[in-house]
Amino acid sequence: MTDIKYAWSALGGDPALVPRVSTVVRPGALEARLPVRESARACVGVCALAAAELGALRAGLAEVPAVRVDDGAVATAFASERHLLVDGRAPVNFAPLSRFWRTGDGWVRTHANYPHHRARLLGALGLGGDASVEDVAGLLAERSAREVEDAVYGAGGLAVALRTAREWAAHAQGAAVAARPLVVRERPDAAPARVLPPVRAARSGPGAAPLLPAAGLRVLDLTRVIAGPVATRTLALLGAEVLRVDPPGLPELADQHADTGFGKRSAAVDLAADRKTLEDLLAAADVVVTGYRPGALDRFGLSPEALAERRPGLVVAQLSAWGGGGPWDGRRGFDSLVQVATGIAAIEGTDGRPGALPAQALDHGTGYLLAAAVLRALTEQSHAGGSRIVRLALARTAVWLTGVGADGVRGAGTATGTGGVDGAGAAYRRPDAWLGETDSAIGRLRYARSPVAFAGGPTDWTRPPGPWGEDAPRWHRAND
């Protein structure tokens, strides 16, 4: 239970609730040198526990419902983008120029899934838009990894040199990240306690209505890629009305949207030109989740501090790659790049070549932690009031996973065992038991079901994703 206790403590949870969590261990799930299975299990477990806690509060239950974490469900959900099929077609998760490259003195990894990131990468290298993988490989082989990192980031692209965990701990950004808690929790004011209307406890029997801890809450989703959308996808599962808003000129990758769009509506809004729409959405939102690098949304009045000041009582959740503070706090980043910078790729590598985790576990794990932080903030508001700001970063989750902090040694929260085990379970070989299928406006979807499970809770989303940006940018009226 070490990891679950650590994560639950980071969320400010009552330690007496931890025994409500039990685990089904499945050997073979998320196998890696690092304790990926244990940390993934903890992220999902505390998310489910936070949901059960809020559900018990709103339903007037005498006891928090029991939480059950199945390694098979967790492993399947942590690779949800790989299990997705759209009309039988499997998505391509990484573009050709998103990969490891050997440099003159080591390795560098680039991310170029989005067209504008590909263009910036090639521009930084002095290559044309028709450059091939071979062209890039030949050029990078003549340069140093740190030189490439600086040049590509300077052009607005994404490239990170391979570092060991100790090198990252000695880096100024690594030290800044390690100095922060896993979950930064702030209460910037003394807004009145949130009045949460009661919800019905789950009824027994086939087709019974589940307990929905987030029912009636409105979540404005300003996130992209995986971690943030996983968090808001989870809040949608739990009953929240989630509206994702993106810039009209920067559409999400279609398959990525299909994977993380369950339970949500999607709208395109020009935040600079259509301020009234933005203000109308904010005026009725209970939760705002942002997934852009720190400072990127400040010009729209969307910094956590500005939001809390304008809307006392709001819950604001901020997600970033590298965390606030330090020389990299304004840089873009993705799970694959954070793995390279923080030493994970070096630890998981073989024969001198860098490796990767068995899933984008920093993205998925941080996403469930972010959802848990929102749920816990709502619970705390119900009796203590105050606006709430929570901040998480992929790089901070990586510090927890590697256990290497600023002093270069393993710290608290690393896995030491498999406490809280319900039973040995079967080996994890096939994900079929945790996959679902549904028709949608974008085709027939095969998808990973949510691993967040507690007694009486929901087992699936009530709506599939629709086309990106198809919905009106407004909250549903009561009679919709």
Side-chain angles (χ1 to χ4, degrees), residues 304-338:
E305 295 79 7
L307 286 168
E309 184 176 350
R310 286 153 63 198
R311 284 290 318 283
L314 194 67
V315 174
V316 185
Q318 183 186 57
L319 171 76
S320 64
W322 306 109
W328 285 18
D329 69 342
R331 287 193 176 190
R332 298 173 179 86
F334 294 93
D335 180 304
S336 58
L337 302 182
V338 176

Side-chain angles (χ1 to χ4, degrees), residues 15 28 52 61 68 75 86 96 178 186 250 267 271 368 444 451 465:
L61 301 180
R68 187 178 177 88
V86 182
E186 302 170 10
L250 197 62
L271 299 182
Y368 289 109
R444 179 73 177 174

Side-chain angles (χ1 to χ4, degrees), residues 207-226:
L211 172 61
L212 297 175
L217 296 170
R218 288 170 167 169
V219 177
L220 186 59
D221 179 358
L222 304 176
T223 70
R224 295 179 69 82
V225 197
I226 296 177

Side-chain angles (χ1 to χ4, degrees), residues 280-442:
D280 287 347
L281 292 172
L282 288 171
D286 299 292
V287 178
V288 177
V289 186
T290 68
Y292 295 78
R293 66 191 188 281
L297 297 177
D298 290 6
R299 66 186 185 276
F300 304 117
L302 294 172
S303 72
E305 295 79 7
L307 286 168
E309 184 176 350
R310 286 153 63 198
R311 284 290 318 283
L314 194 67
V315 174
V316 185
Q318 183 186 57
L319 171 76
S320 64
W322 306 109
W328 285 18
D329 69 342
R331 287 193 176 190
R332 298 173 179 86
F334 294 93
D335 180 304
S336 58
L337 302 182
V338 176
Q339 289 189 40
V340 173
T342 58
I344 291 173
I347 292 170
E348 296 293 337
T350 55
D351 299 325
R353 298 182 63 89
L357 299 176
Q360 294 195 69
L362 302 181
D363 260 333
H364 287 273
T366 308
Y368 289 109
L369 285 176
L370 189 67
V374 169
L375 295 165
R376 288 244 61 254
L378 292 166
T379 296
E380 291 177 345
Q381 281 185 326
S382 70
H383 56 80
S387 302
R388 302 288 167 148
I389 298 173
V390 296
R391 307 177 201 260
L392 289 92
L394 303 185
R396 185 58 184 85
T397 305
V399 170
W400 174 31
L401 179 61
T402 61
V404 180
D407 57 0
V409 298
R410 288 198 170 274
T414 54
T416 59
T418 55
V421 174
D422 246 9
Y428 179 75
R429 296 188 180 93
R430 297 176 60 86
D432 297 11
W434 302 284
L435 296 175
E437 290 196 15
T438 186
D439 290 316
S440 76
I442 55 180

Side-chain angles (χ1 to χ4, degrees), residues 20-414:
R20 302 299 295 161
V21 182
S22 61
T23 302
V24 177
V25 175
R26 297 187 186 273
L30 296 174
E31 286 189 330
R33 292 193 175 98
L34 289 166
V36 179
R37 179 171 57 186
E38 290 82 0
S39 64
R41 180 192 296 155
C43 292
V44 171
V46 296
C47 184
L49 185 56
E53 178 190 36
L54 180 59
L57 171 70
R58 297 188 66 185
L61 301 180
E63 188 175 45
V64 171
V67 168
R68 187 178 177 88
V69 184
D70 191 311
D71 283 350
V74 173
T76 303
F78 267 55
S80 62
E81 66 276 8
R82 301 179 192 175
H83 293 301
L84 178 72
L85 294 179
V86 182
D87 287 332
R89 176 188 59 81
V92 175
N93 291 307
F94 285 99
L97 298 188
S98 296
R99 50 167 285 185
F100 284 108
W101 308 86
R102 189 183 289 277
T103 64
D105 63 350
W107 294 87
V108 70
R109 182 154 191 171
T110 56
H111 195 288
N113 284 4
Y114 289 98
H116 59 293
H117 289 158
R118 182 182 189 277
R120 292 169 186 171
L121 169 65
L122 294 176
L125 300 178
L127 295 172
D130 60 348
S132 67
V133 169
E134 291 72 23
D135 294 333
V136 176
L139 188 64
L140 294 185
E142 301 172 354
R143 300 189 181 183
S144 75
R146 303 292 173 87
E147 176 191 353
V148 173
E149 178 182 275
D150 291 341
V152 174
Y153 262 108
L158 294 114
V160 172
L162 180 72
R163 291 172 172 81
T164 66
R166 288 181 179 273
E167 287 173 335
W168 176 247
H171 189 279
Q173 189 62 37
V177 169
R180 294 164 69 88
L182 178 64
V183 181
V184 176
R185 302 161 54 240
E186 302 170 10
R187 181 183 172 185
D189 57 39
R194 178 184 292 274
V195 178
L196 290 167
V199 296
R200 288 182 298 181
R203 299 175 183 174
S204 59
L211 172 61
L212 297 175
L217 296 170
R218 288 170 167 169
V219 177
L220 186 59
D221 179 358
L222 304 176
T223 70
R224 295 179 69 82
V225 197
I226 296 177
V230 163
T232 52
R233 180 180 71 182
T234 302
L235 296 174
L237 172 82
L238 298 170
E241 179 185 353
V242 179
L243 177 64
R244 172 168 167 168
V245 170
D246 288 283
L250 197 62
E252 182 60 279
L253 300 175
D255 291 334
Q256 209 152 254
H257 172 71
D259 176 47
T260 59
F262 280 85
K264 312 177 192 179
R265 291 183 298 121
S266 168
V269 177
D270 186 327
L271 299 182
D274 196 355
R275 295 305 298 269
K276 183 180 185 306
T277 295
L278 174 63
E279 293 303 321
D280 287 347
L281 292 172
L282 288 171
D286 299 292
V287 178
V288 177
V289 186
T290 68
Y292 295 78
R293 66 191 188 281
L297 297 177
D298 290 6
R299 66 186 185 276
F300 304 117
L302 294 172
S303 72
E305 295 79 7
L307 286 168
E309 184 176 350
R310 286 153 63 198
R311 284 290 318 283
L314 194 67
V315 174
V316 185
Q318 183 186 57
L319 171 76
S320 64
W322 306 109
W328 285 18
D329 69 342
R331 287 193 176 190
R332 298 173 179 86
F334 294 93
D335 180 304
S336 58
L337 302 182
V338 176
Q339 289 189 40
V340 173
T342 58
I344 291 173
I347 292 170
E348 296 293 337
T350 55
D351 299 325
R353 298 182 63 89
L357 299 176
Q360 294 195 69
L362 302 181
D363 260 333
H364 287 273
T366 308
Y368 289 109
L369 285 176
L370 189 67
V374 169
L375 295 165
R376 288 244 61 254
L378 292 166
T379 296
E380 291 177 345
Q381 281 185 326
S382 70
H383 56 80
S387 302
R388 302 288 167 148
I389 298 173
V390 296
R391 307 177 201 260
L392 289 92
L394 303 185
R396 185 58 184 85
T397 305
V399 170
W400 174 31
L401 179 61
T402 61
V404 180
D407 57 0
V409 298
R410 288 198 170 274
T414 54

